[in-house]
Amino acid sequence: MAANDANKHGGGGDEQAAIRTKHAGFPKLSTTSKGLILLPLLLLAFIYLFVYPKEFELQALIGSCSSPPPAGTESITTATNATATKPDFRLLIGILTSADFYERRHLLRMVYGLQLSSSAASPPLAAHIDVRFVFCRLSNDDQRVLVPLEILTYGDIIVLDACAENMDGGKTHAFLTAVSVLYADAPYDYVMKADDDIFLRLPELAASLGAMPRQDAYYGATIPCDAMDTTRRGWYMSGMGYALSWDLVEWIAGAEDVTRGRTVGMEDRMTGEWLKSGGKGKNRFNAKPAMYDHPLSVPFTKCAHELVPDTIAVHRLKDNPRWAQTLAYFNFTAGLHS
């Protein structure tokens, strides 16, 4: 009995010792310890309950600020592609300018770039039109750095190595000769020589020029200014801008018997004389009065008159105020959104 009681008491002691040992590994937590454990749990709960919903709400708000695509955009694009037709003709406009006129080229790129950009709101042009800036070989170190930057950026410059910069010293002949070689494999229907102070309304130009024959064609505004009859002796097209059919461009480039020694002088008059000497340019079109000088031209000429709605070209825009007045008259910034 004593032994059994001893065993019982001994066993109870061992069991209690075991229990004490077991609880010794998990000491009772203080209030501070409990707070340290609960704090991360509360933080996770806060993130889950409040941060994530706010994030989703923010994303929804950002999405709602983006303008939805216009209704019917897909059908308009499809319809445009489905009804797209090959342009009636191809026109190259060479703007004869000077390498130093960087600001003017910037303005003209905007003026013609806006007209050439595709828009579902306006009918497509009847012609494929390319605009290039043309000047003779570069003459100083500034030009040799800045002009190549333009070429790399825009790819719309033709540099004529065959001439030094000039107005009436053979530049037009050099331009037409270069074009006949540059685009021999993919010729244009027409090549237009234009000044850098002329505003061409490309849709109106394309519609007017599109009615011309594709061969032996000479298009522009006749000189003298008061002359309307294109058969009149001594007439020629004003240098503000005139177009030649491709066959005439090739002919001028190869007609050394006609052009040799006759490239220096008023370039528009010389072009007229070449065609007259060779019996060329029988299909002539006088675009006056839709092609004219700005009404504030200095000096004033008989080619000048007030701006009119059916204009094809306005010439003698020598400064930014005249450009601004002309572009405003034709509501050129109508597409601007507030």
Side-chain angles (χ1 to χ4, degrees):
M1 292 288 294
N4 290 337
D5 291 340
N7 288 338
K8 287 180 180 180
H9 290 298
D14 292 342
E15 183 178 353
Q16 291 176 1
I19 292 173
R20 285 196 300 269
T21 302
K22 180 178 180 181
H23 284 287
F26 295 89
K28 185 176 180 181
L29 297 177
S30 66
T31 302
T32 303
S33 300
K34 291 179 181 179
L36 292 175
I37 294 175
L38 290 175
L39 183 61
L41 295 176
L42 292 174
L43 180 60
L44 289 174
F46 175 81
I47 293 174
Y48 180 80
L49 294 174
F50 295 97
V51 175
Y52 279 124
K54 291 295 181 182
E55 180 182 357
F56 297 147
E57 179 182 347
L58 180 60
Q59 291 175 351
L61 179 62
I62 294 174
S64 67
C65 291
S66 302
S67 300
T73 298
E74 183 177 354
S75 61
I76 290 174
T77 304
T78 303
T80 302
N81 292 336
T83 59
T85 58
K86 182 179 179 181
D88 294 340
F89 62 92
R90 299 178 70 242
L91 167 65
L92 173 68
I93 300 176
I95 300 175
L96 273 61
T97 183
S98 173
D100 289 330
F101 292 174
Y102 301 102
E103 180 185 359
R104 176 57 55 86
R105 288 196 292 281
H106 176 65
L107 171 62
L108 292 176
R109 283 191 181 104
M110 291 190 292
V111 167
Y112 294 123
L114 285 174
Q115 296 185 76
L116 291 171
S117 63
S118 58
S119 172
S122 59
L125 290 174
H128 173 92
I129 300 177
D130 289 326
V131 178
R132 299 290 182 266
F133 298 99
V134 183
F135 32 82
C136 293
R137 58 179 174 264
L138 307 181
S139 59
N140 61 54
D141 292 339
D142 292 350
Q143 295 174 1
R144 294 186 187 100
V145 174
L146 299 181
V147 170
L149 284 178
E150 280 189 88
I151 294 174
L152 289 171
T153 304
Y154 301 106
D156 59 0
I157 290 175
I158 298 175
V159 178
L160 306 172
D161 290 332
C163 63
E165 193 56 61
N166 67 87
M167 179 182 297
D168 295 316
K171 184 175 180 178
T172 296
H173 183 267
F175 164 62
L176 296 174
T177 301
V179 163
S180 70
V181 176
L182 284 172
Y183 303 105
D185 294 335
Y188 290 85
D189 294 290
Y190 302 102
V191 174
M192 186 172 200
K193 175 266 168 185
D195 288 344
D196 63 3
D197 61 347
I198 188 174
F199 168 51
L200 292 165
R201 300 180 73 203
L202 298 185
E204 288 71 18
L205 173 63
S208 177
L209 189 56
M212 289 286 292
R214 302 291 189 263
Q215 298 288 320
D216 202 30
Y218 186 26
Y219 173 100
T222 53
I223 295 293
C225 290
D226 56 356
M228 295 296 293
D229 184 4
T230 57
T231 64
R232 180 175 174 176
R233 181 177 178 82
W235 67 269
Y236 55 92
M237 299 299 183
S238 167
M240 69 168 77
Y242 56 85
L244 301 167
S245 55
W246 182 259
D247 60 303
L248 292 184
V249 174
E250 290 186 313
W251 176 80
I252 290 174
E256 293 186 5
D257 55 327
V258 173
T259 61
R260 183 183 297 112
R262 302 177 66 188
T263 60
V264 176
M266 293 179 61
E267 59 86 19
D268 46 6
R269 184 179 66 189
M270 298 306 302
T271 300
E273 290 185 1
W274 300 334
L275 298 176
K276 179 182 176 182
S277 298
K280 301 289 185 178
K282 293 184 174 64
N283 295 316
R284 310 161 187 165
F285 183 81
N286 181 12
K288 290 191 303 188
M291 295 180 69
Y292 54 92
D293 288 345
H294 188 275
L296 299 181
S297 298
V298 179
F300 182 82
T301 69
K302 292 183 179 180
C303 291
H305 60 73
E306 294 299 319
L307 302 174
V308 294
D310 59 350
T311 295
I312 293 175
V314 182
H315 184 222
R316 292 183 180 266
L317 303 179
K318 298 294 187 182
D319 52 39
N320 287 345
R322 292 179 203 176
W323 272 101
Q325 179 197 7
T326 302
L327 295 175
Y329 178 85
F330 294 107
N331 204 16
F332 209 70
T333 57
L336 181 66
H337 295 286
S338 175

